Amino acid sequence: MLRALAVDDERPSLEELLYLLNADPRIGSVEGAGDATEALRRINRALESGPHGPEAIDVVFLDIQMPGLDGLDLARLLTGFARPPLVVFVTAHEDFAVQAFDLKAVDYVLKPVRKERLAEAVRRAAELRGNPPRIPVHEPDPDHIPVELGGVTRFVAVDDITHVEAHGDYARLHTDRGHHLVRIPLSTLEERWRARGFVRIHRRHLVALRHIGELRLDAGTVSVLVGDEELQVSRRHARELRDLLMRRP
């Protein structure tokens, strides 16, 4: 059973989060804090209590934009502790996901918070704390990939993805209509989509061959044009890419 702390400076958001967490059977106890400073004091008491003490906290559900010390600041402070609690960010802003990953966040949940999406974050936290949930595993749809957008899960067709950009354990999927950040390493997508015509051109980029409009050679450097964007091709991948483009129907 997880012992949780929810942190949000907006009282209605905090009360909703507390309500949803209390309803999850994997949450043994949950407290609320109205700002990061109050949360830090509570976490300090938890660390002094020890991992099995009465004040212990396993996971913090943390808003980002708060007055004074914000959620990212608090998470950075926690990385300096020997045994910090896990962190799940709960925010209305999708722009901080890469920074959240850099701070070893368990998950990044967008507001308005959906019960199912929060349950997935709790599942991940429970798994990391050695309490794997007994939830049936469903095979993913190979033709689509789920993305979070404004608290709603949408399914992007793989064939619509022009290229993918690495952000640590996250990847940014680019389409003609916009881009989406997903919590999947680029290496995983490379393996999963190789048979669908995606090829690695750089340590940071994976490109769909069918969306390459031009291959450019300039003073020994190689690049490709994908839509309106020019992407650098590393020397390591240049020859393989040229061969694949030559064989492309």
Side-chain angles (χ1 to χ4, degrees):
M1 301 290 284
L2 292 173
R3 296 156 295 185
L5 175 66
V7 187
D8 199 312
D9 65 305
E10 297 181 357
R11 192 66 193 178
S13 296
L14 179 59
E15 290 178 351
E16 179 186 16
L17 185 55
L18 289 171
Y19 173 79
L20 292 173
L21 289 171
N22 271 312
D24 193 305
R26 292 163 294 197
I27 300 293
S29 63
V30 58
E31 299 179 48
D35 58 54
T37 302
E38 179 187 350
L40 185 57
R41 286 196 294 265
R42 178 63 187 86
I43 293 168
N44 275 321
R45 294 204 308 271
L47 295 174
E48 291 171 0
S49 174
H52 305 294
E55 300 279 349
I57 295 173
D58 297 309
V59 56
V60 179
F61 293 84
L62 183 59
D63 188 22
I64 289 182
Q65 291 197 329
M66 295 182 286
L69 192 70
D70 67 20
L72 292 172
D73 293 332
L74 176 57
R76 290 189 189 98
L77 288 173
L78 294 181
T79 61
F81 291 97
R83 292 185 177 181
L86 302 172
V87 172
V88 172
F89 284 105
V90 183
T91 176
H93 306 278
E94 65 176 7
D95 300 334
F96 301 104
V98 174
Q99 295 177 60
F101 160 76
D102 290 338
L103 293 169
K104 310 302 181 186
V106 173
D107 208 342
Y108 193 89
V109 179
L110 290 174
K111 297 178 181 177
V113 179
R114 293 183 298 110
K115 179 180 178 181
E116 296 81 4
R117 183 64 184 85
L118 186 63
E120 170 62 14
V122 173
R123 182 195 69 78
R124 290 177 179 176
E127 199 168 59
L128 288 173
R129 278 292 183 244
N131 301 300
R134 297 176 181 176
I135 298 177
V137 177
H138 301 282
E139 289 297 323
D141 178 359
D143 296 322
H144 295 82
I145 182 168
V147 300
E148 290 282 340
L149 186 62
V152 177
T153 300
R154 296 185 180 178
F155 294 87
V156 174
V158 174
D159 288 345
D160 290 341
I161 298 170
T162 59
H163 62 289
V164 187
E165 183 180 0
H167 287 282
D169 268 5
Y170 285 84
R172 190 177 296 278
L173 312 177
H174 292 263
T175 72
D176 291 336
R177 293 182 293 277
H179 54 81
H180 311 278
L181 199 65
V182 295
R183 191 187 174 90
I184 306 175
L186 190 68
S187 58
T188 299
L189 293 178
E190 178 184 12
E191 182 178 350
R192 184 183 300 176
W193 292 347
R194 184 179 292 115
R196 302 184 70 99
F198 283 80
V199 59
R200 192 74 164 261
I201 65 167
H202 190 274
R203 63 183 179 83
R204 291 195 60 201
H205 289 111
L206 184 68
V207 174
L209 286 173
R210 61 185 169 278
H211 288 291
I212 294 178
E214 294 180 8
L215 177 68
R216 297 177 174 180
L217 303 176
D218 182 20
T221 64
V222 182
S223 62
V224 292
L225 190 66
V226 181
D228 296 328
E229 190 168 356
E230 186 174 0
L231 303 175
Q232 189 75 26
V233 181
S234 69
R235 290 185 179 181
R236 175 185 174 188
H237 297 98
R239 176 174 293 181
E240 179 188 6
L241 177 63
R242 286 197 298 265
D243 291 344
L244 288 171
L245 289 174
M246 291 295 293
R247 296 199 302 267
R248 185 174 63 175

